[in-house]
Amino acid sequence: MINKTVAFVQEKLKNAESGHDWWHIQRVWNNTKLILETEPADSLVCELTALLHDIADSKFHDGDESIGPRIAGDFLQSIGLDSERIRHVQQIILNMSFKASLGEVMFHSKELEIVQDADRLDAIGAIGIARAFQYGGYKNREIYNPEIPPEENLSKEAYKQTTAPTLNHFYEKLLRLKDKMNTEAGKQIALGRHAYMEGFLQQFYGEWKGQR
Ligand code: ADP
Ligand code: NI
C-alpha cells in the first residue's frame, strides 16, 4: 500500500509548486518515520497520511478544504484500505494544517500529532527559510519592509489573506511552531531548527543595516 501510494503521489505532484512537491512529501515522510521510532502509533495511518497530506492544497483550489481528503479517500479505497483507517487519514488531513489549528480544532489523535509535527518540522530550519522565500517569490512579496510590522496573532481568515513581506511570516508562523510541537521527539528536533532561524534573522537585520 505504501509503494502504491508513493507512485500515486509522485504522479499527482509531478507539476506541483516546489513548496509542496514530491520532495516536501518525502521529507515529511522521513520526519514521520523518525518520530515513529520513539512514539508508538498506527504507523500505516501515519505514513499514508504523510504521503497524501498535500495532495490538493486548498490554497490552490479556491479555499476548498474538502478536496484533499476526498481525493485521498478515493485513492485509499481503490487500493483496499479498511474504511476505519480511510476515515482516520481523511480526518488528519482536514485538521492538521497550521490554518486549521488557528480555527476550531475538530479532531485529535496520536497519529495526527505525529504527522503534524513531521509537517511542521519541514516549515522551520534551513528548509523552512528556503520554502518561505520561495513562497514569497511565487506571490511576488517583498522580502522585508521595516514599515510593515508583523502581526503575531492573526486569525485564520487574516492569516489566509495576508500579503505582508516574507520576513513577517517568521513571526506569524515559523517562530511559533517550536511551542506547538505535539511529540517529545518533534520538540527536540524543533529546538535546533528554531535556533538556526533565530541566527538567520539576527544576521539578516545586521546586513539590512549595513553592518559587517
Ligand atoms: P504546510 O505545507 O506546512 O501545511 P502551508 O501550505 O501553509 O504549509 O505553507 C507551505 C510553505 O510555504 C511553508 O513552508 C510555509 O511556511 C510557507 N508559507 C506559507 N504562507 C507563507 C507566507 N505568507 N509567506 C511566506 N511563506 C509562506
Ligand atoms: Ni505539508
Side-chain angles (χ1 to χ4, degrees):
M1 277 190 193
I2 303 264
N3 288 341
K4 282 183 186 160
T5 306
V6 167
F8 174 74
V9 172
Q10 281 180 328
E11 172 60 28
K12 269 270 182 220
L13 296 182
K14 229 173 29 206
N15 301 311
E17 44 83 33
S18 71
H20 290 106
D21 59 6
W22 163 252
W23 304 115
H24 164 66
I25 301 305
Q26 191 181 69
R27 293 190 301 266
V28 174
W29 185 25
N30 284 334
N31 291 340
T32 297
K33 288 188 273 192
L34 187 65
I35 296 170
L36 280 168
E37 285 176 14
T38 50
E39 305 275 341
D42 184 335
S43 62
L44 181 59
V45 165
C46 290
E47 290 191 44
L48 291 174
T49 308
L51 289 167
L52 290 162
H53 81 278
D54 278 330
I55 200 75
D57 190 331
S58 65
K59 263 206 291 319
F60 304 111
H61 290 89
D62 295 322
D64 182 352
E65 287 166 17
S66 69
I67 187 160
R70 200 159 61 235
I71 294 173
D74 290 348
F75 168 74
L76 292 172
Q77 198 167 23
S78 79
I79 62 168
L81 186 68
D82 61 276
S83 57
E84 198 179 322
R85 280 200 174 92
I86 293 177
R87 270 198 303 278
H88 192 174
V89 171
Q90 290 180 309
Q91 282 297 332
I92 300 176
I93 296 175
L94 192 58
N95 290 286
M96 70 180 261
S97 77
F98 182 74
K99 263 197 314 288
S101 79
L102 296 174
E104 195 184 344
V105 176
M106 309 294 278
F107 177 82
H108 203 85
S109 73
K110 184 76 201 175
E111 288 72 20
L112 179 145
E113 290 189 349
I114 290 172
V115 186
Q116 188 173 54
D117 276 6
D119 194 34
R120 285 174 171 168
L121 285 173
D122 204 52
I124 59 177
I127 287 178
I129 294 170
R131 289 179 77 207
F133 286 104
Q134 196 279 335
Y135 182 88
Y138 171 78
K139 291 280 197 178
N140 201 24
R141 306 266 166 82
E142 291 179 299
I143 55 172
Y144 175 52
N145 184 336
E147 290 168 8
I148 305 177
E151 292 183 61
E152 279 190 51
N153 287 306
L154 287 179
S155 69
K156 181 176 171 182
E157 286 314 309
Y159 175 79
K160 282 202 276 193
Q161 281 164 17
T162 180
T163 58
T166 300
L167 253 263
N168 293 27
H169 187 64
F170 284 74
Y171 302 91
E172 286 156 7
K173 174 180 171 186
L174 307 188
L175 294 170
R176 296 164 63 187
L177 290 177
K178 158 178 84 65
D179 294 328
K180 285 187 157 251
M181 300 306 286
N182 305 303
T183 66
E184 213 32 64
K187 278 179 202 157
Q188 283 309 315
I189 305 166
L191 282 180
R193 297 188 186 194
H194 183 89
Y196 186 87
M197 289 195 295
E198 297 218 298
F200 167 79
L201 289 170
Q202 234 178 345
Q203 176 80 14
F204 186 99
Y205 295 128
E207 292 180 14
W208 187 271
K209 290 185 200 137
Q211 291 165 1
R212 269 177 205 283

